[in-house]
Amino acid sequence: MSGHSKWATTKHKKAVIDARRAKSFAKLIKNIEVAAKLGGPDLGGNPTLYDAVQKAKKTSVPNDNIDRAIKRGAGISGESVDYQTIMYEGYGPSGVALLIECLTDNTNRAAAEVRTAMTRNGGTMADPGSVAYNFSRKGVISITKTDGLDEDAILGAVLDAGVEDVVDRGGGFEVITEPSQLVAARTALQAAGIDYDSAEAEFVPNVTIEADVETARKVFRLVDALEDSDDVQNVFTNIDVPPEVQSQLDDED
């Protein structure tokens, strides 16, 4: 797979996804809780919550779990939610840049788990700002390829929504916008009847590093280890995996 990506859009091990289903559910629930706390429980008036709920539903999180998370986050259930967002920076094999976004109620635990995963898997921590400058905050809408859906159809739907780019990622498309235009682009896709997998703000690299099979394998292993932590919410990299490398990795699974 070519170009930028958060790990979710480049993950190649389907068995890994299945094995981590419960962990994925917990992280999606955490996103819902935080969005409800910051913007209230009304999906119509809280686009961040709307997108968090839609992503959870796409991942088959039960509706009861989603409803409880909204109430918990908004304080309706009498429970309190107190998470801090922390961004760690580092480098993986071959100098691949990493932004590691944590959402945690224990900063000491989060820091220790990130450092351990990095140290054991060929990564090194970096000073604040030394990696982040290579990334820009963007709205990213992920769309799975289906019969009859091509880049032109997507472009036609979002042309007037302030979209910067539509990128073919092999198995799907990514619509890139400024964060402030994310809701407009998502709404335009819905109006055109185009289904999407997720719509959220991400960190997109300005410069990518093309990886060979061995580098990609090592970076994937490192990101897997980071994502094993309950506190790690997202991992963003500047790895560029060419189609032929991705194909070889797929064949190994």
Side-chain angles (χ1 to χ4, degrees), residues 135-156:
F135 291 79
S136 300
R137 191 75 162 169
K138 298 289 182 183
V140 180
I141 304 174
S142 299
I143 304 168
T144 298
K145 281 188 177 178
T146 57
D147 291 339
L149 181 63
D150 57 20
E151 194 170 332
D152 289 338
I154 296 172
L155 275 170

Side-chain angles (χ1 to χ4, degrees), residues 139-247:
V140 180
I141 304 174
S142 299
I143 304 168
T144 298
K145 281 188 177 178
T146 57
D147 291 339
L149 181 63
D150 57 20
E151 194 170 332
D152 289 338
I154 296 172
L155 275 170
V158 298
L159 199 58
D160 297 324
V163 166
E164 293 185 358
D165 200 5
V166 176
V167 185
D168 188 334
R169 297 296 187 197
F173 299 100
E174 285 183 347
V175 178
I176 312 296
T177 77
E178 285 297 320
S180 60
Q181 296 299 114
L182 181 60
V183 174
R186 179 249 288 162
T187 303
L189 289 170
Q190 291 172 320
I194 297 175
D195 194 23
Y196 64 92
D197 298 316
S198 64
E200 55 194 324
E202 300 182 4
F203 286 94
V204 178
N206 303 314
V207 178
T208 58
I209 293 179
E210 185 170 303
D212 57 21
V213 170
E214 187 58 29
T215 297
R217 191 183 292 120
K218 289 178 179 178
V219 172
F220 288 175
R221 188 181 304 122
L222 170 57
V223 178
D224 276 344
L226 287 165
E227 287 198 331
D228 273 340
S229 169
D230 291 335
D231 291 321
V232 173
Q233 201 71 4
N234 293 301
V235 179
F236 304 93
T237 82
N238 69 338
I239 191 172
D240 181 344
V241 184
E244 62 274 14
V245 172
Q246 185 67 55
S247 177

Side-chain angles (χ1 to χ4, degrees), residues 10-42:
T10 59
K11 183 158 287 185
H12 62 288
K13 300 178 181 178
K14 295 180 179 60
V16 171
I17 295 176
D18 294 338
R20 295 181 178 176
R21 188 179 184 86
K23 193 174 290 287
S24 172
F25 277 16
K27 294 183 181 186
L28 292 167
I29 288 296
K30 196 182 288 187
N31 273 342
I32 292 171
E33 291 172 345
V34 171
K37 180 177 182 177
L38 294 176
D42 178 21

Side-chain angles (χ1 to χ4, degrees), residues 82-105:
D82 187 21
Y83 296 118
Q84 288 182 263
T85 299
I86 307 171
M87 191 71 73
Y88 295 103
E89 303 178 35
Y91 293 99
S94 301
V96 170
L98 299 170
L99 283 182
I100 305 151
E101 186 177 36
C102 293
L103 197 56
T104 182
D105 58 1

